[in-house]
Amino acid sequence: MTARDPAPAPGSRGVVWLGAPSFPDAARIALGDTRLRANLKRATATIRDKRVAVASELDDWEDLRDAAAAIKNRTARHLDHYLVRLEESVTAAGGTVHWACDAAEANRIVTALVQATGEREVVKVKSMATQEIGLNEHLADAGITAYETDLAELIVQLGDDRPSHILVPAIHKNRTEIRDLFTAEMGRWGQPAPENLGDDPRELAEAARRHLREKFLTAKVAVSGANFAVADTGTVVVVESEGNGRMCLTLPETLITVMGIEKVIPTWSDLEVFLQLLPRSSTGERMNPYTSTWTGTTDGDGPTEFHLVLLDNGRTDTLADEVGRQALACIRCSACLNVCPVFERTGGHAYGSVYPGPIGAVLTPQLVGIEQAASLPFASTLCGACYDACPVKINIPEVLAHLRAEAVEAKRTANRLPTAEAVAMKAAGKVLDSPRLLAAAQKAAALGGRAVARDGRIGRLPGPLRGWSDTRDTPAPPVESFRTWWRKNKEGER
């Protein structure tokens, strides 16, 4: 799997990986990779257990979730007001705000800002928004090299790979694979890995630290994402675990932050709620090791230029959907991924999007249009574990069901003739709406089922029924329905 897709075309929203197979096809391949499944199971179980432990320490955990959901809902209702307020605050503090309607415009803005400095290299701190717009590829086309500094992002970049998890992008690799990658690839990007590098996590972290230090000390331009931006003060916030973000945000002369418009929050007091929820939900920690905040520019301290790029890229369209807009409340903690039985078995690459897992299944189709990611709303068992884990109470199963209806409607509209599935569903509706037809269908199913069943189970069936029966057995229908049994045995007792 390669990460080198072309940069998004004008008007494109990026987000999905061009040429990626649909979720069912990609998941089928992933399910055959036993090493991938072992890596995912170990990693998600570890994070999941830690999250439950630290969340249970807070008596007001549910109150915090309610408060976070209320803040996000209120902000979404008045998003235009808070974004203008943020722009005013950032500008007053010495920063410059840019508005980008889509991926191509955001890429043009960032590339022009870097070119204006005369530099050919930038360092980056973890940013989903820049992955969403394919910034690295666009910069490369302009002759500018972007160096990822987050450890997991570095692993993905060295491997010419794609991220497979929102918080732990290299979750699909174990430490032996990472050791081999460092040994083979670090030298091509700068400081090579030490000879005889082992796979102990401390050795790997030390190799990455030495490799990145040279870039931190020489880079004049940095590109970052943002976890939150406070409208009242113009303060931008990045939380992280390694300290690479602090280096990127303070050492270069020019700092460019690319942020989705939904990341704005009204006040500092609102931030207090999220700084309790985010670390516990993401890494299972009571607080993030590094929380960096900055407000515009300050003479003699940090970058002398600060640019904030506010990215729409489908978010306004999502906001217009009264059910789907919940997805914009996501704080990218990835708690929903770590509890999802589908994600644990398929991994993130199967989703074909920068945003994998349950939140990706509801966010991606809305950002790019349901026709571009029609299979993703069906990549779920609807078990509801994601809703229970979400720190801002996004009702992901509700949005999934809503998007499934949209996908079916889009398919129906695109086809002049009704599909076999549509015909079957229409027939089923008529049967289920008529007690007489339902009784006849049950009787026919009982006769047919017993004819093809062996030892009470129906195995693989031919023709159009193969898709359902290839991977599962079905119990043979009972000889009589419950309604018939009741009529024969109980009705006289009333």
Side-chain angles (χ1 to χ4, degrees):
M1 178 165 289
T2 174
R4 192 64 179 91
D5 288 328
S12 167
R13 291 174 176 174
V15 187
V16 294
W17 297 323
L18 297 176
S22 67
F23 182 83
D25 293 336
R28 196 171 293 114
I29 297 170
L31 288 171
D33 188 338
T34 54
R35 184 162 65 174
L36 171 67
R37 292 178 62 178
N39 291 349
L40 288 169
K41 184 176 182 179
R42 182 168 51 252
T44 56
T46 300
I47 301 172
R48 189 167 59 230
D49 292 346
K50 289 175 65 179
R51 183 188 68 82
V52 171
V54 296
S56 63
E57 294 175 349
L58 296 181
D59 294 335
D60 60 348
W61 180 252
E62 289 303 318
D63 293 336
L64 284 169
R65 293 180 70 206
D66 288 336
I71 293 167
K72 284 291 187 178
N73 289 336
R74 186 176 78 248
T75 307
R77 286 198 303 273
H78 307 287
L79 188 60
D80 53 346
H81 165 76
Y82 290 120
L83 286 172
V84 170
R85 176 74 180 126
L86 175 66
E87 181 182 30
E88 293 170 348
S89 300
V90 170
T91 303
T96 304
V97 175
H98 309 260
W99 298 79
C101 66
D102 59 22
E105 185 172 15
N107 284 328
R108 284 198 302 273
I109 292 170
V110 176
T111 303
L113 291 172
V114 177
Q115 288 172 331
T117 68
E119 296 295 320
R120 311 303 293 177
E121 296 183 344
V122 301
V123 289
K124 285 182 63 194
V125 61
K126 194 173 182 180
S127 166
M128 298 293 295
T130 60
Q131 292 172 14
E132 175 185 323
I133 63 177
L135 178 63
N136 285 11
E137 291 76 14
H138 195 275
L139 290 175
D141 290 344
I144 299 167
T145 304
Y147 294 93
E148 298 288 352
T149 65
D150 176 86
L151 177 56
E153 294 289 357
L154 173 66
I155 294 167
V156 170
Q157 185 174 48
L158 291 177
D160 194 21
D161 203 347
R162 287 168 169 161
S164 63
H165 191 281
I166 289 176
L167 188 72
V168 195
I171 197 172
H172 54 289
K173 290 190 179 298
N174 61 37
R175 61 191 192 186
T176 302
E177 293 174 292
I178 295 169
R179 186 271 314 276
D180 294 343
L181 182 63
F182 279 11
T183 302
E185 298 295 332
M186 269 187 169
R188 289 202 309 117
W189 290 79
Q191 174 80 28
E195 292 185 6
N196 303 317
L197 178 66
D199 63 2
D200 181 84
R202 283 177 296 186
E203 282 190 68
L204 297 174
E206 178 64 20
R209 187 178 296 116
R210 290 179 178 277
H211 175 78
L212 292 171
R213 181 143 306 175
E214 173 194 2
K215 301 301 178 188
F216 286 135
L217 295 177
T218 57
K220 304 295 184 186
V221 182
V223 177
S224 84
N227 291 98
F228 308 99
V230 181
D232 269 2
T233 61
T235 304
V236 184
V237 184
V238 165
V239 297
E240 38 113 12
S241 300
E242 302 160 9
N244 59 303
R246 184 68 58 82
M247 303 281 270
C248 284
L249 300 170
T250 55
L251 292 178
E253 296 170 359
T254 299
L255 173 60
I256 304 167
T257 297
V258 182
M259 185 191 91
I261 55 175
E262 79 281 13
K263 297 293 185 68
V264 64
I265 57 174
T267 66
W268 265 96
S269 60
D270 296 325
L271 183 63
E272 179 255 349
V273 174
F274 295 107
L275 289 185
Q276 293 184 71
L277 289 168
L278 181 55
R280 287 178 165 84
S281 299
S282 56
T283 55
E285 297 172 296
R286 296 182 181 90
M287 64 182 295
N288 289 98
Y290 294 89
T291 299
S292 299
T293 67
W294 68 99
T295 306
T297 58
T298 303
D299 290 340
D301 184 11
T304 54
E305 279 193 46
F306 169 55
H307 298 270
L308 177 62
V309 181
L310 296 175
L311 177 68
D312 185 327
N313 208 33
R315 288 161 174 81
T316 301
D317 293 342
T318 304
L319 188 64
D321 187 319
E322 292 184 1
V323 177
R325 69 173 57 159
Q326 299 178 64
L328 294 179
C330 177
I331 58 173
R332 308 290 190 268
C333 69
S334 72
C336 61
L337 279 68
N338 300 325
V339 299
C340 178
V342 176
F343 177 85
E344 185 177 295
R345 285 157 180 80
T346 65
H349 290 155
Y351 293 79
S353 166
V354 171
Y355 301 108
I359 189 61
V362 296
L363 187 58
T364 301
Q366 296 192 88
L367 293 182
V368 301
I370 191 69
E371 66 282 355
Q372 301 296 325
S375 65
L376 288 185
F378 298 89
S380 169
T381 63
L382 297 181
C383 67
C386 49
Y387 184 28
D388 293 339
C390 179
V392 292
K393 290 196 167 182
I394 301 172
N395 192 339
I396 293 177
E398 180 186 35
V399 184
L400 285 169
H402 172 68
L403 294 176
R404 287 182 182 189
E406 285 195 0
V408 171
E409 181 61 22
K411 188 176 180 181
R412 187 190 68 79
T413 304
N415 293 321
R416 292 185 176 181
L417 296 176
T419 63
E421 182 184 14
V423 172
M425 288 296 125
K426 192 169 184 178
K430 286 190 173 298
V431 170
L432 294 171
D433 198 36
S434 165
R436 183 178 61 80
L437 290 176
L438 179 59
Q442 288 173 325
K443 191 172 182 180
L447 289 172
R450 287 203 301 276
V452 299
R454 298 288 182 273
D455 299 325
R457 314 281 303 175
I458 299 174
R460 181 176 298 178
L461 296 171
L465 298 175
R466 179 182 297 169
W468 175 263
S469 58
D470 264 358
T471 55
R472 59 176 74 80
D473 289 344
T474 306
V479 176
E480 59 184 6
S481 67
F482 175 76
R483 184 189 296 269
T484 304
W485 176 89
W486 180 271
R487 192 175 294 127
K488 287 166 55 178
N489 297 280
K490 296 289 184 181
E491 202 162 55
E493 298 178 4
R494 290 192 297 176

